[in-house]
Amino acid sequence: MGQVSVRVNGYVYNVGCQDGEEGHLHAMAHEIEKRVERIRTLGGSTTEGRTLLLAALLMADEIHDLTAQRMPSGAAETIAEADMIVAENKRARSRLLLAVERAEGLADLLEHG
């Protein structure tokens, strides 16, 4: 099993992954960091957990929009294609929720020492 260190919002997280998926994990962390940057540009102070939650919501919104684009109006998706989209969304949601949980735990640790 691989181990990858990724930096998101100035913090380094060690994350396990399957061997050979290290590059993919770095790419996903980069996508999260891009959303975190968007949130930072909006200003205001926020906790680490809240920042990552907002980044997750941005990504969930993008997934929703992409899913809607994949279904042209008037065209019926096959059951297999629809199941594939649902599975992709569930995997993405699980990864985002895990990242938020980890971030909130770290934020609590940092805030309450």
Side-chain angles (χ1 to χ4, degrees):
M1 174 170 266
Q3 184 78 10
V4 175
S5 293
V6 296
R7 181 178 296 272
V8 176
N9 199 23
Y11 295 93
V12 175
Y13 300 94
N14 294 313
V15 183
C17 65
Q18 296 296 322
D19 289 334
E21 291 185 354
E22 294 86 357
H24 180 65
L25 188 55
H26 278 290
M28 289 188 303
H30 179 71
E31 289 298 321
I32 294 168
E33 182 63 21
K34 287 188 330 189
R35 277 57 173 204
V36 166
E37 276 296 318
R38 283 176 55 193
I39 292 163
R40 276 196 233 141
T41 61
L42 297 174
S45 63
T46 183
T47 65
E48 175 73 3
R50 183 163 171 80
T51 299
L52 291 178
L53 172 64
L54 293 172
L57 289 171
L58 282 173
M59 294 180 86
D61 184 51
E62 292 169 12
I63 291 168
H64 177 269
D65 290 348
L66 288 171
T67 302
Q69 288 175 2
R70 290 177 79 173
M71 291 191 244
S73 63
E77 293 284 338
T78 64
I79 292 174
E81 289 171 328
D83 287 346
M84 184 179 69
I85 291 168
V86 169
E88 287 172 6
N89 287 342
K90 283 182 180 179
R91 284 191 299 273
R93 182 175 187 272
S94 294
R95 288 191 300 259
L96 291 172
L97 290 174
L98 180 60
V100 168
E101 288 173 0
R102 287 180 179 168
E104 288 176 343
L106 289 171
D108 286 344
L109 183 63
L110 290 171
E111 290 176 10
H112 303 292

